[in-house]
mmCIF file of all heavy atoms in Angstrom:
data_model
loop_
_atom_site.group_PDB
_atom_site.id
_atom_site.type_symbol
_atom_site.label_atom_id
_atom_site.label_comp_id
_atom_site.label_asym_id
_atom_site.label_seq_id
_atom_site.Cartn_x
_atom_site.Cartn_y
_atom_site.Cartn_z
ATOM 1 N N MET J 1399 0.829 -1.199 0.000
ATOM 2 C CA MET J 1399 0.000 0.000 0.000
ATOM 3 C C MET J 1399 0.868 1.256 0.000
ATOM 4 O O MET J 1399 2.056 1.217 0.338
ATOM 5 C CB MET J 1399 -0.932 0.003 1.211
ATOM 6 C CG MET J 1399 -1.924 -1.139 1.206
ATOM 7 S SD MET J 1399 -3.302 -0.842 2.343
ATOM 8 C CE MET J 1399 -2.446 -0.522 3.862
ATOM 9 N N SER J 1400 0.258 2.377 -0.373
ATOM 10 C CA SER J 1400 0.958 3.658 -0.352
ATOM 11 C C SER J 1400 1.225 4.097 1.084
ATOM 12 O O SER J 1400 0.637 3.561 2.039
ATOM 13 C CB SER J 1400 0.120 4.727 -1.061
ATOM 14 O OG SER J 1400 -1.036 5.039 -0.284
ATOM 15 N N GLY J 1401 2.089 5.109 1.228
ATOM 16 C CA GLY J 1401 2.402 5.611 2.567
ATOM 17 C C GLY J 1401 1.176 6.141 3.281
ATOM 18 O O GLY J 1401 0.998 5.933 4.481
ATOM 19 N N GLY J 1402 0.306 6.825 2.543
ATOM 20 C CA GLY J 1402 -0.910 7.348 3.157
ATOM 21 C C GLY J 1402 -1.838 6.252 3.623
ATOM 22 O O GLY J 1402 -2.426 6.329 4.706
ATOM 23 N N GLU J 1403 -1.958 5.199 2.811
ATOM 24 C CA GLU J 1403 -2.810 4.073 3.194
ATOM 25 C C GLU J 1403 -2.235 3.346 4.404
ATOM 26 O O GLU J 1403 -2.982 2.901 5.287
ATOM 27 C CB GLU J 1403 -2.955 3.126 2.008
ATOM 28 C CG GLU J 1403 -3.789 3.696 0.874
ATOM 29 C CD GLU J 1403 -3.675 2.909 -0.415
ATOM 30 O OE1 GLU J 1403 -2.678 2.158 -0.582
ATOM 31 O OE2 GLU J 1403 -4.568 3.028 -1.261
ATOM 32 N N GLN J 1404 -0.920 3.239 4.461
ATOM 33 C CA GLN J 1404 -0.292 2.604 5.625
ATOM 34 C C GLN J 1404 -0.513 3.424 6.890
ATOM 35 O O GLN J 1404 -0.694 2.868 7.973
ATOM 36 C CB GLN J 1404 1.197 2.396 5.362
ATOM 37 C CG GLN J 1404 1.490 1.353 4.306
ATOM 38 C CD GLN J 1404 2.968 1.135 4.088
ATOM 39 O OE1 GLN J 1404 3.803 1.548 4.894
ATOM 40 N NE2 GLN J 1404 3.325 0.486 2.985
ATOM 41 N N GLN J 1405 -0.515 4.745 6.753
ATOM 42 C CA GLN J 1405 -0.788 5.585 7.921
ATOM 43 C C GLN J 1405 -2.221 5.382 8.396
ATOM 44 O O GLN J 1405 -2.481 5.304 9.604
ATOM 45 C CB GLN J 1405 -0.554 7.054 7.566
ATOM 46 C CG GLN J 1405 -0.755 8.021 8.723
ATOM 47 C CD GLN J 1405 0.240 7.786 9.846
ATOM 48 O OE1 GLN J 1405 0.031 6.923 10.714
ATOM 49 N NE2 GLN J 1405 1.322 8.522 9.825
ATOM 50 N N MET J 1406 -3.151 5.285 7.461
ATOM 51 C CA MET J 1406 -4.542 5.013 7.825
ATOM 52 C C MET J 1406 -4.652 3.666 8.538
ATOM 53 O O MET J 1406 -5.377 3.522 9.526
ATOM 54 C CB MET J 1406 -5.433 5.010 6.582
ATOM 55 C CG MET J 1406 -5.425 6.275 5.768
ATOM 56 S SD MET J 1406 -6.116 7.709 6.614
ATOM 57 C CE MET J 1406 -6.038 8.929 5.285
ATOM 58 N N LEU J 1407 -3.911 2.679 8.049
ATOM 59 C CA LEU J 1407 -3.929 1.353 8.663
ATOM 60 C C LEU J 1407 -3.388 1.408 10.089
ATOM 61 O O LEU J 1407 -3.943 0.777 10.997
ATOM 62 C CB LEU J 1407 -3.109 0.376 7.818
ATOM 63 C CG LEU J 1407 -2.931 -1.039 8.374
ATOM 64 C CD1 LEU J 1407 -4.272 -1.707 8.657
ATOM 65 C CD2 LEU J 1407 -2.098 -1.890 7.403
ATOM 66 N N ALA J 1408 -2.312 2.155 10.293
ATOM 67 C CA ALA J 1408 -1.735 2.265 11.636
ATOM 68 C C ALA J 1408 -2.732 2.882 12.615
ATOM 69 O O ALA J 1408 -2.864 2.431 13.759
ATOM 70 C CB ALA J 1408 -0.450 3.096 11.586
ATOM 71 N N ILE J 1409 -3.445 3.905 12.171
ATOM 72 C CA ILE J 1409 -4.435 4.546 13.048
ATOM 73 C C ILE J 1409 -5.601 3.604 13.308
ATOM 74 O O ILE J 1409 -6.068 3.461 14.447
ATOM 75 C CB ILE J 1409 -4.917 5.865 12.427
ATOM 76 C CG1 ILE J 1409 -3.762 6.859 12.353
ATOM 77 C CG2 ILE J 1409 -6.068 6.458 13.242
ATOM 78 C CD1 ILE J 1409 -4.077 8.105 11.553
ATOM 79 N N ALA J 1410 -6.065 2.930 12.249
ATOM 80 C CA ALA J 1410 -7.182 1.991 12.421
ATOM 81 C C ALA J 1410 -6.811 0.882 13.387
ATOM 82 O O ALA J 1410 -7.607 0.495 14.252
ATOM 83 C CB ALA J 1410 -7.573 1.404 11.059
ATOM 84 N N ARG J 1411 -5.602 0.364 13.263
ATOM 85 C CA ARG J 1411 -5.159 -0.707 14.166
ATOM 86 C C ARG J 1411 -5.119 -0.210 15.609
ATOM 87 O O ARG J 1411 -5.513 -0.924 16.537
ATOM 88 C CB ARG J 1411 -3.782 -1.219 13.735
ATOM 89 C CG ARG J 1411 -3.296 -2.426 14.520
ATOM 90 C CD ARG J 1411 -1.938 -2.894 14.008
ATOM 91 N NE ARG J 1411 -0.928 -1.845 14.144
ATOM 92 C CZ ARG J 1411 0.309 -1.930 13.652
ATOM 93 N NH1 ARG J 1411 0.667 -3.009 12.960
ATOM 94 N NH2 ARG J 1411 1.176 -0.959 13.812
ATOM 95 N N GLY J 1412 -4.654 1.032 15.807
ATOM 96 C CA GLY J 1412 -4.629 1.593 17.153
ATOM 97 C C GLY J 1412 -6.015 1.745 17.748
ATOM 98 O O GLY J 1412 -6.209 1.575 18.954
ATOM 99 N N LEU J 1413 -6.995 2.039 16.907
ATOM 100 C CA LEU J 1413 -8.368 2.212 17.392
ATOM 101 C C LEU J 1413 -9.015 0.890 17.789
ATOM 102 O O LEU J 1413 -9.966 0.877 18.567
ATOM 103 C CB LEU J 1413 -9.219 2.884 16.320
ATOM 104 C CG LEU J 1413 -9.006 4.384 16.119
ATOM 105 C CD1 LEU J 1413 -9.758 4.852 14.886
ATOM 106 C CD2 LEU J 1413 -9.444 5.161 17.352
ATOM 107 N N LEU J 1414 -8.490 -0.224 17.260
ATOM 108 C CA LEU J 1414 -9.110 -1.514 17.543
ATOM 109 C C LEU J 1414 -8.897 -1.990 18.978
ATOM 110 O O LEU J 1414 -9.504 -2.963 19.401
ATOM 111 C CB LEU J 1414 -8.639 -2.566 16.540
ATOM 112 C CG LEU J 1414 -9.522 -2.603 15.289
ATOM 113 C CD1 LEU J 1414 -8.816 -3.238 14.121
ATOM 114 C CD2 LEU J 1414 -10.822 -3.342 15.581
ATOM 115 N N SER J 1415 -8.065 -1.309 19.722
ATOM 116 C CA SER J 1415 -7.950 -1.615 21.148
ATOM 117 C C SER J 1415 -8.987 -0.844 21.962
ATOM 118 O O SER J 1415 -8.978 -0.896 23.194
ATOM 119 C CB SER J 1415 -6.543 -1.289 21.657
ATOM 120 O OG SER J 1415 -6.291 0.100 21.572
ATOM 121 N N SER J 1416 -9.866 -0.108 21.265
ATOM 122 C CA SER J 1416 -10.925 0.691 21.918
ATOM 123 C C SER J 1416 -10.354 1.636 22.973
ATOM 124 O O SER J 1416 -10.778 1.629 24.137
ATOM 125 C CB SER J 1416 -11.981 -0.230 22.543
ATOM 126 O OG SER J 1416 -12.569 -1.054 21.560
ATOM 127 N N PRO J 1417 -9.387 2.489 22.584
ATOM 128 C CA PRO J 1417 -8.745 3.356 23.575
ATOM 129 C C PRO J 1417 -9.629 4.517 24.010
ATOM 130 O O PRO J 1417 -10.529 4.952 23.279
ATOM 131 C CB PRO J 1417 -7.517 3.878 22.814
ATOM 132 C CG PRO J 1417 -7.981 3.924 21.381
ATOM 133 C CD PRO J 1417 -8.868 2.716 21.227
ATOM 134 N N ASP J 1418 -9.355 5.017 25.195
ATOM 135 C CA ASP J 1418 -9.933 6.287 25.628
ATOM 136 C C ASP J 1418 -9.096 7.452 25.116
ATOM 137 O O ASP J 1418 -9.595 8.554 24.937
ATOM 138 C CB ASP J 1418 -9.989 6.364 27.156
ATOM 139 C CG ASP J 1418 -10.884 5.293 27.752
ATOM 140 O OD1 ASP J 1418 -11.937 5.001 27.150
ATOM 141 O OD2 ASP J 1418 -10.531 4.745 28.811
ATOM 142 N N LEU J 1419 -7.786 7.177 24.925
ATOM 143 C CA LEU J 1419 -6.829 8.212 24.512
ATOM 144 C C LEU J 1419 -5.919 7.649 23.440
ATOM 145 O O LEU J 1419 -5.336 6.582 23.605
ATOM 146 C CB LEU J 1419 -5.998 8.678 25.715
ATOM 147 C CG LEU J 1419 -4.816 9.602 25.424
ATOM 148 C CD1 LEU J 1419 -5.290 10.934 24.834
ATOM 149 C CD2 LEU J 1419 -4.004 9.841 26.705
ATOM 150 N N LEU J 1420 -5.790 8.387 22.343
ATOM 151 C CA LEU J 1420 -4.922 7.999 21.235
ATOM 152 C C LEU J 1420 -3.755 8.980 21.175
ATOM 153 O O LEU J 1420 -3.959 10.197 21.057
ATOM 154 C CB LEU J 1420 -5.725 8.032 19.934
ATOM 155 C CG LEU J 1420 -5.230 7.238 18.723
ATOM 156 C CD1 LEU J 1420 -5.089 5.748 19.043
ATOM 157 C CD2 LEU J 1420 -6.181 7.435 17.545
ATOM 158 N N LEU J 1421 -2.537 8.457 21.280
ATOM 159 C CA LEU J 1421 -1.323 9.255 21.109
ATOM 160 C C LEU J 1421 -0.871 9.093 19.662
ATOM 161 O O LEU J 1421 -0.618 7.975 19.212
ATOM 162 C CB LEU J 1421 -0.213 8.773 22.047
ATOM 163 C CG LEU J 1421 -0.560 8.550 23.526
ATOM 164 C CD1 LEU J 1421 0.654 8.004 24.271
ATOM 165 C CD2 LEU J 1421 -1.061 9.840 24.161
ATOM 166 N N ILE J 1422 -0.745 10.186 18.929
ATOM 167 C CA ILE J 1422 -0.437 10.106 17.503
ATOM 168 C C ILE J 1422 0.807 10.938 17.206
ATOM 169 O O ILE J 1422 0.825 12.148 17.440
ATOM 170 C CB ILE J 1422 -1.614 10.596 16.640
ATOM 171 C CG1 ILE J 1422 -2.917 9.932 17.081
ATOM 172 C CG2 ILE J 1422 -1.342 10.307 15.173
ATOM 173 C CD1 ILE J 1422 -4.117 10.382 16.285
ATOM 174 N N ASP J 1423 1.830 10.278 16.663
ATOM 175 C CA ASP J 1423 3.125 10.918 16.434
ATOM 176 C C ASP J 1423 3.334 11.204 14.949
ATOM 177 O O ASP J 1423 3.500 10.290 14.144
ATOM 178 C CB ASP J 1423 4.240 9.996 16.957
ATOM 179 C CG ASP J 1423 5.570 10.724 17.096
ATOM 180 O OD1 ASP J 1423 5.631 11.925 16.762
ATOM 181 O OD2 ASP J 1423 6.547 10.087 17.542
ATOM 182 N N GLU J 1424 3.317 12.485 14.593
ATOM 183 C CA GLU J 1424 3.615 12.970 13.233
ATOM 184 C C GLU J 1424 2.812 12.231 12.150
ATOM 185 O O GLU J 1424 3.379 11.659 11.214
ATOM 186 C CB GLU J 1424 5.123 12.832 12.944
ATOM 187 C CG GLU J 1424 6.027 13.557 13.910
ATOM 188 C CD GLU J 1424 6.061 15.074 13.700
ATOM 189 O OE1 GLU J 1424 5.292 15.583 12.869
ATOM 190 O OE2 GLU J 1424 6.844 15.743 14.382
ATOM 191 N N PRO J 1425 1.488 12.240 12.225
ATOM 192 C CA PRO J 1425 0.705 11.451 11.273
ATOM 193 C C PRO J 1425 0.750 11.962 9.837
ATOM 194 O O PRO J 1425 0.507 11.192 8.903
ATOM 195 C CB PRO J 1425 -0.718 11.532 11.825
ATOM 196 C CG PRO J 1425 -0.744 12.815 12.582
ATOM 197 C CD PRO J 1425 0.622 12.929 13.199
ATOM 198 N N THR J 1426 1.051 13.253 9.625
ATOM 199 C CA THR J 1426 0.995 13.791 8.263
ATOM 200 C C THR J 1426 2.351 13.797 7.566
ATOM 201 O O THR J 1426 2.436 14.202 6.401
ATOM 202 C CB THR J 1426 0.445 15.229 8.255
ATOM 203 O OG1 THR J 1426 1.392 16.116 8.865
ATOM 204 C CG2 THR J 1426 -0.883 15.304 8.993
ATOM 205 N N GLU J 1427 3.393 13.349 8.245
ATOM 206 C CA GLU J 1427 4.733 13.420 7.661
ATOM 207 C C GLU J 1427 4.804 12.613 6.357
ATOM 208 O O GLU J 1427 4.456 11.441 6.308
ATOM 209 C CB GLU J 1427 5.776 12.884 8.644
ATOM 210 C CG GLU J 1427 7.198 13.055 8.154
ATOM 211 C CD GLU J 1427 8.222 12.630 9.185
ATOM 212 O OE1 GLU J 1427 7.856 11.888 10.117
ATOM 213 O OE2 GLU J 1427 9.384 13.036 9.062
ATOM 214 N N GLY J 1428 5.248 13.268 5.299
ATOM 215 C CA GLY J 1428 5.447 12.602 4.020
ATOM 216 C C GLY J 1428 4.184 12.395 3.206
ATOM 217 O O GLY J 1428 4.249 11.773 2.137
ATOM 218 N N LEU J 1429 3.044 12.895 3.657
ATOM 219 C CA LEU J 1429 1.797 12.678 2.935
ATOM 220 C C LEU J 1429 1.514 13.823 1.963
ATOM 221 O O LEU J 1429 1.866 14.972 2.212
ATOM 222 C CB LEU J 1429 0.624 12.553 3.915
ATOM 223 C CG LEU J 1429 0.670 11.417 4.935
ATOM 224 C CD1 LEU J 1429 -0.650 11.354 5.675
ATOM 225 C CD2 LEU J 1429 0.989 10.082 4.284
ATOM 226 N N MET J 1430 0.850 13.499 0.869
ATOM 227 C CA MET J 1430 0.418 14.510 -0.087
ATOM 228 C C MET J 1430 -0.621 15.418 0.560
ATOM 229 O O MET J 1430 -1.359 14.988 1.454
ATOM 230 C CB MET J 1430 -0.191 13.851 -1.325
ATOM 231 C CG MET J 1430 0.767 13.009 -2.135
ATOM 232 S SD MET J 1430 -0.022 12.371 -3.632
ATOM 233 C CE MET J 1430 -1.385 11.413 -2.943
ATOM 234 N N PRO J 1431 -0.702 16.694 0.116
ATOM 235 C CA PRO J 1431 -1.657 17.633 0.726
ATOM 236 C C PRO J 1431 -3.097 17.117 0.754
ATOM 237 O O PRO J 1431 -3.817 17.334 1.734
ATOM 238 C CB PRO J 1431 -1.524 18.873 -0.160
ATOM 239 C CG PRO J 1431 -0.123 18.816 -0.670
ATOM 240 C CD PRO J 1431 0.175 17.358 -0.865
ATOM 241 N N SER J 1432 -3.529 16.426 -0.296
ATOM 242 C CA SER J 1432 -4.909 15.923 -0.310
ATOM 243 C C SER J 1432 -5.126 14.882 0.781
ATOM 244 O O SER J 1432 -6.202 14.832 1.406
ATOM 245 C CB SER J 1432 -5.244 15.324 -1.673
ATOM 246 O OG SER J 1432 -4.362 14.248 -1.977
ATOM 247 N N LEU J 1433 -4.105 14.057 1.038
ATOM 248 C CA LEU J 1433 -4.211 13.052 2.097
ATOM 249 C C LEU J 1433 -4.132 13.685 3.476
ATOM 250 O O LEU J 1433 -4.753 13.200 4.420
ATOM 251 C CB LEU J 1433 -3.119 11.994 1.934
ATOM 252 C CG LEU J 1433 -3.334 10.982 0.808
ATOM 253 C CD1 LEU J 1433 -2.128 10.062 0.690
ATOM 254 C CD2 LEU J 1433 -4.594 10.163 1.050
#
């Protein structure tokens, strides 16, 4: 998958633990402006 799709996957995987708090480190790095 593309870098943007992999970032979406990483966030989705983190959400599957049903967190109350999500810590997100530099999610937009290297992504195209539209993404």
Side-chain angles (χ1 to χ4, degrees):
M1399 297 197 306
S1400 70
E1403 290 167 339
Q1404 291 182 15
Q1405 182 63 276
M1406 302 294 184
L1407 175 56
I1409 295 171
R1411 186 179 60 187
L1413 285 171
L1414 272 159
S1415 65
S1416 301
D1418 297 322
L1419 171 64
L1420 201 58
L1421 312 177
I1422 311 179
D1423 195 359
E1424 302 285 6
T1426 69
E1427 186 175 19
L1429 299 188
M1430 296 184 300
S1432 60
L1433 285 176

